[in-house]
Amino acid sequence: MKKRVLSGIRATGRLHLGNYLGAIKGMLALQDDPTYETIYMVADLHAVTTPYKVEELRVNRREVIIDYLAAGLDPEKSILFQQADVSEHAELAFYFSSVMTIARMQHLPTFKEKVKQYPDAATMALLNYPILMSADILVYKAGLVPVGIDQEPHLEISREIARKMNQEYGMDFPEPQRFKTPGEYVPSLTGEGKMSKSVEGSFITLVDDLATIKAKLSKAPTDSGKGDIAQATGGVKALLSFVELFQGADRRKAYEAAYKNEGIRYGDLKHDLAEAIYKELQPIQEKRKAFESDPSRVDQIIAEGSKRARVIAAQTVAEVKEKMGLA
Ligand code: ADP
Ligand code: TRP
């Protein structure tokens, strides 16, 4: 049997370069490797774990599918679907919640951060977030998960759940591992922390045009451009990571050498970098237009994807129910 891969992105807004380099690039690489069966969803259930607007979610859960298709995920090679359309995910999450303690879930760094961000909305859904994510993965018995490094604590939970379900109920769940990409941690354009949808000014989206990319890069903080590279500030460090990701390691080394000698001219660096980023995004944007103008094709892909996903998910849920004494 082919090794299964599962990944998802929350339906909370437009995808950015962090999502693209940390998750989608890995999703694409595994889709094109015939040894894997790839299953990719939009995590719309996860979008309701923090405050949201109904009409925005309705749009976003579809837009993420269009971003996937535009980026090159192919319904002929991968199962593409929306999480809420396969109710087995939520059902399995409930069974899994019986083997995890409240204390374990409360101590997760990701939970603590979100509680800080939304002090009045620390819901049960938020506490259950990693359990639902584990159900997403294990309902397909997937062993490999292309996601950014920030998701590692969640994958640790999925491994714990797999071990517990195997020991207590004799299931055969794999312990999911992260599939890493060179862009597993894309820094914020502000120079502090990671690029994120929820931090204004931190991101470049997949639909940004050249002028927008240039404008966003121009705001990234820099320094005098000269000195000891080891002391380069956040903004400069971030720019150099982007250079490496979009223009290659040699170009980065050349800038690092310039920093120690004649100095870097940030205007030129940002100009060339913007061109390189746009060169990668342009074909994605062209493809997006084609899907936007053919909504029934998108509907058909989504319907077909959830149908295929449900067949696999239903088998796992039936097995779990039987082993837990519920059938
Ligand atoms: P955000 O943090 O912007 O809300 P999500 O949490 O929805 O993004 O992340 C979706 C996917 O993209 C996950 O696999 C996550 O690891 C990856 N990802 C998000 N931000 C980054 C980043 N800055 N660098 C690398 N990967 C990222
Ligand atoms: N938690 C992931 C994120 O914030 C999204 C996600 C939900 C996911 N379910 C998943 C990722 C299953 C991989 C596998 O990006």
Side-chain angles (χ1 to χ4, degrees):
M1 203 174 75
K2 283 191 182 186
K3 227 181 145 178
R4 289 215 185 102
V5 174
L6 181 116
S7 192
I9 295 183
R10 280 185 307 151
T12 47
R14 277 297 163 85
L15 299 198
H16 54 69
L17 292 182
N19 303 137
Y20 178 63
L21 298 168
I24 295 186
K25 280 256 181 158
M27 291 157 82
L28 285 166
L30 293 168
Q31 162 185 274
D32 292 329
D33 181 335
T35 51
Y36 295 104
E37 179 178 9
T38 46
I39 309 174
Y40 300 133
M41 59 167 209
V42 180
D44 48 8
L45 293 176
H46 281 99
V48 313
T49 63
T50 46
Y52 75 101
K53 295 201 176 72
V54 171
E55 280 317 314
E56 284 178 10
L57 176 56
R58 220 187 295 282
V59 172
N60 287 337
R61 66 196 290 269
R62 187 183 168 86
E63 287 300 312
V64 175
I65 293 279
I66 298 177
D67 273 327
Y68 280 171
L69 293 166
L73 292 185
D74 179 350
E76 302 288 324
K77 296 180 185 163
S78 296
I79 298 179
L80 305 177
F81 70 102
Q82 295 157 324
Q83 184 187 26
D85 291 345
V86 183
S87 52
E88 282 80 1
H89 290 230
E91 184 178 352
L92 188 62
F94 179 79
Y95 304 137
F96 283 177
S97 71
S98 71
V99 297
M100 294 306 281
T101 65
I102 296 169
R104 175 71 178 99
M105 303 316 294
Q106 275 175 333
H107 284 121
L108 275 178
T110 43
F111 178 69
K112 289 184 187 163
E113 273 161 34
K114 282 279 189 287
V115 171
K116 243 192 229 158
Q117 207 179 336
Y118 306 102
D120 301 325
T123 62
M124 289 306 299
L126 187 62
L127 189 62
N128 263 306
Y129 185 113
I131 295 182
L132 177 59
M133 179 163 159
S134 306
D136 297 334
I137 300 166
L138 295 174
V139 84
Y140 304 101
K141 299 190 178 176
L144 202 55
V145 185
V147 282
I149 200 164
D150 59 308
Q151 297 299 309
E152 199 58 73
H154 294 156
L155 288 183
E156 184 54 45
I157 294 287
S158 74
R159 291 190 282 271
E160 268 176 55
I161 291 178
R163 282 196 293 273
K164 286 196 171 153
M165 293 299 295
N166 294 349
Q167 276 161 14
E168 288 180 32
Y169 300 111
M171 288 297 299
D172 63 344
F173 286 125
E175 292 188 26
Q177 303 298 321
R178 189 165 69 89
F179 179 74
K180 300 174 187 160
T181 63
E184 65 179 12
Y185 180 89
V186 176
S188 162
L189 292 180
T190 63
E192 272 174 50
K194 68 157 198 157
M195 183 175 285
S196 172
K197 276 178 273 217
S198 47
V199 181
E200 212 39 60
S202 80
F203 57 84
I204 290 172
T205 76
L206 298 188
V207 296
D208 285 345
D209 59 18
L210 183 58
T212 308
I213 297 171
K214 281 188 175 159
K216 287 183 175 179
L217 284 182
S218 74
K219 293 202 187 106
T222 51
D223 55 13
S224 68
K226 252 174 116 97
D228 179 1
I229 194 72
Q231 281 158 21
T233 62
V236 174
K237 249 191 177 139
L239 286 172
L240 291 174
S241 320
F242 286 113
V243 166
E244 179 165 351
L245 289 164
F246 288 94
Q247 298 175 283
D250 286 348
R251 182 67 71 90
R252 181 193 178 125
K253 279 189 204 122
Y255 280 126
E256 284 177 349
Y259 198 92
K260 284 193 230 155
N261 297 300
E262 73 276 17
I264 296 180
R265 291 158 62 116
Y266 289 112
D268 293 348
L269 180 151
K270 288 178 174 183
H271 174 276
D272 293 354
L273 178 59
E275 301 273 347
I277 293 174
Y278 184 62
K279 197 166 160 235
E280 182 134 0
L281 297 189
Q282 197 184 15
I284 298 177
Q285 296 176 3
E286 288 302 314
K287 237 175 149 181
R288 177 173 243 285
K289 279 186 207 138
F291 283 107
E292 277 171 347
S293 64
D294 193 357
S296 60
R297 167 99 182 102
V298 176
D299 290 341
Q300 192 196 342
I301 289 168
I302 293 172
E304 181 65 24
S306 41
K307 206 167 108 190
R308 289 170 64 197
R310 224 176 283 131
V311 173
I312 309 170
Q315 279 173 3
T316 307
V317 166
E319 193 184 344
V320 169
K321 281 183 83 173
E322 209 277 321
K323 296 245 163 81
M324 288 182 76
L326 292 164

